[in-house]
Amino acid sequence: MTATRPPKITAKAPARRVSQRRATDRRRSVQATDESIGMRLSARQSKAVMRSQPFVAGASLFNMLVVGLAAPQDLPNALVLAWMVALIVLQGVQVQRWMAWRRTAASTSAPRGNGQAAAQDLRLQLVLAGLHGLLWGVVPLLMLDHPGERQQTLLMTSLAAMLAVGALGLAALPRAAWLYMGLLGSGSLAAFVVSPQWVFGIGVVQWLLLGGLAVMLGRSVAKALHARVSAEVKGEHQNQLIGLLLRDFSEQGSDVIWEIDGSGRLRHVTRQLAFALGRDSAELEGESLMNLLGDMQKGMSDSDRETTLALHERLTEGHPFRDVQVGVMIDGKQRWWSMTAKPLVDERGRSLGWRGVARDVTQARMADRKLAWLAHFDALTGLTNRAHFRVLLEKALSHTRRYGGGGAVMCLDLDGFKNVNDTLGHATGDVLLTEVGKRLRSAVGNARSDVVARLGGDEFAVLLRTATTEADVAAVAQAILDAMKPPCVTQGAEIPVRASIGIARFPEDGLSVDEMMQHADLALYDAKAHATGSMRFFAQRMGEQVRRRLILERDLREALERKQLHLYFQPKVDLNGWRVTGFEALLRWTHPEHGDIPPSEFIPVAEEAGLILAIGEWALLEACVHAARWPDDLQVAVNISPVQVMAQNLPDAVQNALRVSGLPAHRLELEITESVFINETRGTVGRLHALRRLGVAIALDDFGTGYSSLAYLRRFPFDTLKIDRAFVRELLVSRDARAIVRNILALAKALRMSTVAEGVEEPAQVKVLEAEGCDLVQGFYVAKPLPADQVLHFALTWTGRDRPALPRDFSLGQTQTADLVTMMPATVI
């Protein structure tokens, strides 16, 4: 149960003190090294020897009296007395040392012994043991020739007793024991050598037997003592390390320790646990853990309150558990704890309770929920994302396959959204996407079975389960289109919102996710091709169209290498002198299987597939190479795709074509359409000016059919305006068409531009255009597009052709040419 309000460190000094204390604790922690074990072993040996001193001293004094009473009468009393005095003094020193040791032990609550002092005591003890052995070892030498049979028995008994007492008393200190027994036994051995009597021989045998036993006993005791001391030192080191870690864990860690008894009540409540719960330790001591958690879950949802059941089940099972998450309310905010614990049992296996740790995992749980949400929803709009939409669609289709019913899938995208991002910035684009998401939700409604999703970019999708008939689906789609009509206002700018919708219904159009999404995309593609802001239901023909488009895209990638692309040239004739002034290069594709494919079909494919740049550069170079072989007064015009104009290398490509072909720059004219200015960027006009600096002419193609502003005519002075064939076609039958043509011609004359009329097919059209002041015409009346090898012959033989004459019955209807109203139509304002 992690503290949710950790103690604040308000100054750097306390933080440094905590850090210094922790470092000091680590330096002072006991290390299980040979040095520490040796010091502790010396202390234990000293303690063992000192504990046996009273018994050794008592035995030594008792045997001293026996030997003194059994001493022969002919042995000098002064010598025996001196021996006894020396022995009494030695034992007095030992008893005094024992009494001092007792006082030290009594004054220490947990006596452990000082390692260095113990080592000094052991060295002193070694000296005293040697003196003690030496005093008893001289006894056989003193009584070498004196004792009788009774005295010999007492003597050997006393020596044997002192040998045994010394071996046992000094067993914890083998070197002292061996020194003591060696000196004591050497006296008997020396006496036996000097005077080989049976009594001294027995002493030698006793010394050898007891010495061997003492050596084995000393080694065993020393080994056991060393092992015990090593275990104690390592255990204390581990305990100190564990204690240090636990203190660091309690003071600095993010986890807190908790413990309950067999009845589930808290005990040994730590300060950190009490702090985390916001209560006093004394208040929590003895309180039921489950009751406490229950009180802390008030105000939570039922599903979150049930998390304590999982904890209760784990505690009831009696097995260790990890990471059981429990929700609680602290300071009015919901938190999540991860509980880990193991049971406490006694030596008989009976349960004593539980001890564990708790960690605050609120942030991690929130992050997991955020990741789970992001895995199913779009971060920008809050709508369902593509992956989750496919899952929901699969569930809907599965339900339809099993139980029947139906529904529909709509795919939408925004027309011109890229232009919004490029001109107004991505932030504005994000605002637009968010607004579209809101409008979609509002238009679709709040039915739980209907789903609105953002698939990515400006692509959206809708899953309808409440609308099953075509009429109902169409009504929802129309509601969506109506919701998109008002512009989106952001940062003071009004952004038009235009959307196209493709619809596929199930089970009619498919019963798999991929089928439904593909068919809805096909319907969307058809809607965008038909009209902006429209909707289309899927039809089988759409699949054929898309398949054909994919085939064209695949084969178009290899058309250049296989030399399937070639140029045709359509002549342009000057109405003033009735002469050929140049040719327009027209791209043609002869497919080996599908035959001649019109540019209106494969050029959009090339633009969308990213092939138009390579094809455009090839067409430009090819046209310049052919034109370089023509007479010097003939010009060649090449159509430039808007994608090429947007490319930064267009001026370089034009310059390279002129250099390679050797064609003078003034004989090349580049034709661009008004759509270039719809997606105009900062560099568009700059690139056009760069082309003008090369010396090439620039014509505006299909004038009056697309863009609704003439502002670009002021920013860039074109050399030529080309009148679209749609106006020329209606020239003889439509008053409006004639008015538009007249005004285009007047506008071009005012701007000092030449004019070219496209699609001229009748002599009357030539005469009307001539009367209105048009400069050039091109079309089937002049000639159909010619292969490259026929261009030169056509130009050389053109001079003999007559001008067209109006038929006798020709009439412009109720309106004569002079009566045409001069006006500027709305489409070119």
Side-chain angles (χ1 to χ4, degrees):
M1 303 176 189
T2 305
T4 59
R5 298 166 295 176
K8 296 182 179 179
I9 300 177
T10 57
K12 294 184 178 179
R16 287 197 297 267
R17 286 198 295 269
V18 172
S19 176
Q20 292 171 355
R21 189 192 68 232
R22 294 171 63 185
T24 302
D25 289 342
R26 289 188 178 93
R27 289 195 299 268
R28 292 179 178 177
S29 61
V30 178
Q31 301 295 321
T33 61
D34 292 340
E35 181 181 357
S36 60
I37 292 175
M39 294 177 63
R40 183 67 62 87
L41 181 61
S42 298
R44 288 299 179 87
Q45 289 175 327
S46 177
K47 178 180 179 181
V49 171
M50 294 306 297
R51 291 177 62 180
S52 64
Q53 284 306 309
F55 306 100
V56 173
S60 181
L61 294 176
F62 175 77
N63 285 292
M64 178 195 68
L65 294 175
V66 172
V67 171
L69 294 175
Q73 295 295 329
D74 57 349
L75 189 66
N77 292 331
L79 185 60
V80 174
L81 183 60
W83 175 79
M84 294 179 66
V85 170
L87 197 58
I88 291 172
V89 170
L90 179 61
Q91 295 307 315
V93 172
Q94 290 283 47
V95 171
Q96 185 179 10
R97 291 180 65 248
W98 175 79
M99 293 178 64
W101 173 80
R102 286 283 298 175
R103 286 193 299 270
T104 303
S107 62
T108 305
S109 58
R112 296 181 180 270
N114 183 284
Q116 296 179 352
Q120 295 177 356
D121 288 342
L122 290 180
R123 287 193 292 270
L124 178 59
Q125 185 64 47
L126 186 63
V127 173
L128 295 176
L131 293 176
H132 196 196
L134 182 62
L135 288 176
W136 280 102
V138 300
V139 172
L141 294 176
L142 293 176
M143 303 181 181
L144 183 64
D145 296 325
H146 301 284
E149 183 176 350
R150 183 174 61 84
Q151 286 87 358
Q152 290 178 351
T153 302
L154 291 175
L155 176 63
M156 296 310 303
T157 301
S158 298
L159 291 177
M162 290 308 303
L163 190 63
V165 169
L168 292 177
L170 298 174
L173 191 60
R175 289 190 301 171
W178 299 337
L179 179 61
Y180 171 79
M181 290 185 295
L183 293 175
L184 189 150
S186 62
S188 298
L189 179 62
F192 179 75
V193 172
V194 175
S195 178
Q197 300 180 26
W198 66 270
V199 64
F200 300 124
I202 294 175
V204 172
V205 173
Q206 289 178 337
W207 174 78
L208 292 176
L209 292 177
L210 292 178
L213 293 175
V215 169
M216 294 177 60
L217 178 62
R219 288 182 176 179
S220 177
V221 171
K223 185 176 181 180
L225 187 60
H226 187 277
R228 182 177 178 182
V229 169
S230 298
E232 288 180 357
V233 170
K234 292 178 180 179
E236 289 183 6
H237 168 67
Q238 291 177 353
N239 290 336
Q240 291 184 13
L241 182 60
I242 292 173
L244 177 63
L245 293 176
L246 286 176
R247 188 170 70 183
D248 287 350
F249 178 82
S250 299
E251 294 179 355
Q252 306 296 331
S254 59
D255 298 356
V256 295
I257 301 175
W258 59 274
E259 184 176 339
I260 58 175
D261 58 18
S263 61
R265 299 184 178 278
L266 290 170
R267 64 182 181 185
H268 307 311
V269 178
T270 63
R271 181 177 60 86
Q272 286 72 25
L273 175 60
F275 184 77
L277 299 176
R279 300 168 66 174
D280 294 332
S281 301
E283 182 182 355
L284 292 173
E285 195 74 31
E287 185 170 349
S288 170
L289 175 63
M290 300 308 299
N291 291 342
L292 179 63
L293 293 177
D295 293 339
M296 297 178 66
Q297 290 183 330
K298 293 180 179 179
M300 294 172 52
S301 64
D302 294 339
S303 60
D304 290 342
R305 289 172 62 91
E306 290 177 357
T307 55
T308 55
L309 296 178
L311 178 62
H312 184 268
E313 291 177 0
R314 296 298 181 90
L315 293 175
T316 304
E317 292 172 356
H319 301 297
F321 60 86
R322 292 183 59 85
D323 299 328
V324 176
Q325 294 193 4
V326 179
V328 293
M329 295 290 293
I330 298 178
D331 294 336
K333 297 181 180 179
Q334 184 168 341
R335 312 292 297 180
W336 288 92
W337 289 342
S338 176
M339 312 282 287
T340 298
K342 61 181 299 184
L344 302 175
V345 295
D346 60 12
E347 64 277 2
R348 298 183 180 180
R350 293 177 299 184
S351 175
L352 298 178
W354 291 80
R355 180 184 295 124
V357 295
R359 174 179 300 174
D360 190 325
V361 294
T362 306
Q363 296 298 326
R365 188 178 178 91
M366 291 176 63
D368 291 342
R369 286 188 174 182
K370 181 65 174 178
L371 290 176
W373 186 87
L374 290 175
H376 294 85
F377 296 93
D378 176 56
L380 177 63
T381 62
L383 301 176
T384 301
N385 61 16
R386 180 187 292 271
H388 192 43
F389 182 81
R390 291 177 63 89
V391 172
L392 297 177
L393 178 56
E394 174 57 35
K395 290 182 179 179
L397 295 175
S398 177
H399 185 275
T400 298
R401 290 192 295 264
R402 180 174 299 182
Y403 303 107
V409 173
M410 296 181 180
C411 284
L412 306 85
D413 71 3
L414 305 182
D415 301 317
F417 178 73
K418 182 178 183 300
N419 187 46
V420 174
N421 273 342
D422 292 341
T423 57
L424 301 178
H426 290 277
T428 302
D430 291 345
V431 173
L432 178 59
L433 292 175
T434 304
E435 177 64 21
V436 169
K438 294 178 181 178
R439 295 185 185 184
L440 278 176
R441 277 194 295 254
S442 177
V444 172
N446 297 321
R448 297 186 61 182
S449 57
D450 295 338
V451 181
V452 179
R454 181 190 176 206
L455 304 183
D458 63 331
E459 300 178 24
F460 295 85
V462 177
L463 170 62
L464 294 179
R465 297 300 309 277
T466 55
T468 56
T469 66
E470 183 173 337
D472 293 339
V473 175
V476 176
Q478 188 59 50
I480 293 175
L481 294 177
D482 293 341
M484 299 300 167
K485 289 181 179 178
C488 175
V489 180
T490 175
Q491 298 181 355
E494 289 190 356
I495 306 173
V497 184
R498 300 185 300 271
S500 301
I501 304 176
I503 307 170
R505 299 172 58 213
F506 58 89
E508 293 87 345
D509 299 330
L511 277 174
S512 71
V513 173
D514 290 335
E515 276 185 319
M516 294 303 300
M517 297 301 296
Q518 181 181 11
H519 291 167
D521 277 335
L522 292 176
L524 173 61
Y525 181 82
D526 188 66
K528 292 174 71 67
H530 178 265
T532 298
S534 64
M535 62 176 170
R536 281 290 184 273
F537 283 87
F538 171 76
Q540 193 62 39
R541 62 173 176 81
M542 298 177 183
E544 297 297 331
Q545 293 174 349
V546 172
R547 278 189 286 272
R548 176 176 172 82
R549 182 193 178 282
L550 294 176
I551 291 174
L552 292 181
E553 179 181 336
R554 179 197 65 193
D555 295 345
L556 189 58
R557 295 182 182 276
E558 301 176 351
L560 274 178
E561 297 179 2
R562 297 180 178 182
K563 298 182 179 180
Q564 298 173 1
L565 296 177
H566 46 275
L567 295 180
Y568 272 58
F569 296 88
Q570 188 173 38
K572 294 187 288 186
V573 177
D574 180 11
L575 291 178
N576 186 31
W578 196 243
R579 63 184 180 84
V580 176
T581 61
F583 295 82
E584 179 181 357
L586 302 173
L587 187 61
R588 295 292 184 265
W589 181 18
T590 302
H591 194 280
E593 296 181 7
H594 302 288
D596 292 334
I597 301 175
S600 60
E601 184 175 3
F602 74 81
I603 290 298
V605 174
E607 290 179 338
E608 294 179 13
L611 303 173
I612 194 62
L613 293 179
I615 294 176
E617 289 187 13
W618 174 86
L620 177 63
L621 178 59
E622 189 77 3
C624 291
V625 169
H626 284 292
R629 302 168 186 167
W630 302 342
D632 294 341
D633 59 341
L634 293 181
Q635 190 181 49
V636 65
V638 181
N639 288 283
I640 301 297
S641 166
V643 179
Q644 291 177 269
V645 178
M646 301 298 291
Q648 296 181 357
N649 64 341
L650 178 59
D652 296 335
V654 172
Q655 188 174 20
N656 178 69
L658 294 174
R659 179 180 56 81
V660 173
S661 65
L663 182 71
H666 69 274
R667 293 181 57 194
L668 174 63
E669 183 178 61
L670 303 179
E671 295 185 2
I672 65 173
T673 62
E674 293 175 307
S675 60
V676 168
F677 298 97
I678 295 178
N679 296 318
E680 179 185 349
T681 62
R682 181 179 300 175
T684 302
V685 175
R687 279 188 284 274
L688 293 178
H689 280 288
L691 294 173
R692 284 293 295 272
R693 287 193 293 271
L694 293 177
V696 301
I698 299 180
L700 184 60
D701 197 10
D702 301 334
F703 180 72
T705 61
Y707 205 31
S708 60
S709 173
L710 300 181
Y712 58 85
L713 292 179
R714 293 189 298 109
R715 295 197 303 274
F716 184 81
F718 291 91
D719 297 286
T720 304
L721 292 183
K722 299 192 70 174
I723 304 172
D724 188 78
R725 66 183 66 249
F727 301 131
V728 176
R729 188 185 307 116
E730 302 293 329
L731 186 62
L732 304 179
V733 296
S734 171
R735 176 191 179 100
D736 292 339
R738 292 193 297 272
I740 292 173
V741 170
R742 169 172 287 186
N743 283 279
I744 291 176
L745 294 172
L747 178 63
K749 184 177 181 181
L751 296 177
R752 296 181 296 278
M753 300 179 188
S754 63
T755 53
V756 179
E758 297 181 297
V760 177
E761 299 180 358
E762 302 178 24
Q765 293 172 337
V766 176
K767 298 303 291 184
V768 172
L769 289 170
E770 182 181 1
E772 293 295 341
C774 184
D775 297 316
L776 302 169
V777 294
Q778 71 179 88
F780 283 5
Y781 177 77
V782 175
K784 292 183 179 181
L786 304 171
D789 57 358
Q790 298 179 16
V791 170
L792 187 57
H793 178 267
F794 178 87
L796 295 176
T797 59
W798 170 259
T799 55
R801 299 192 184 188
D802 297 330
R803 284 175 178 269
L806 290 175
R808 294 180 180 179
D809 58 348
F810 173 74
S811 173
L812 287 176
Q814 301 297 323
T815 306
Q816 299 298 322
T817 303
D819 296 332
L820 293 177
V821 177
T822 302
M823 61 178 292
M824 184 67 70
T827 56
V828 295
I829 295 177

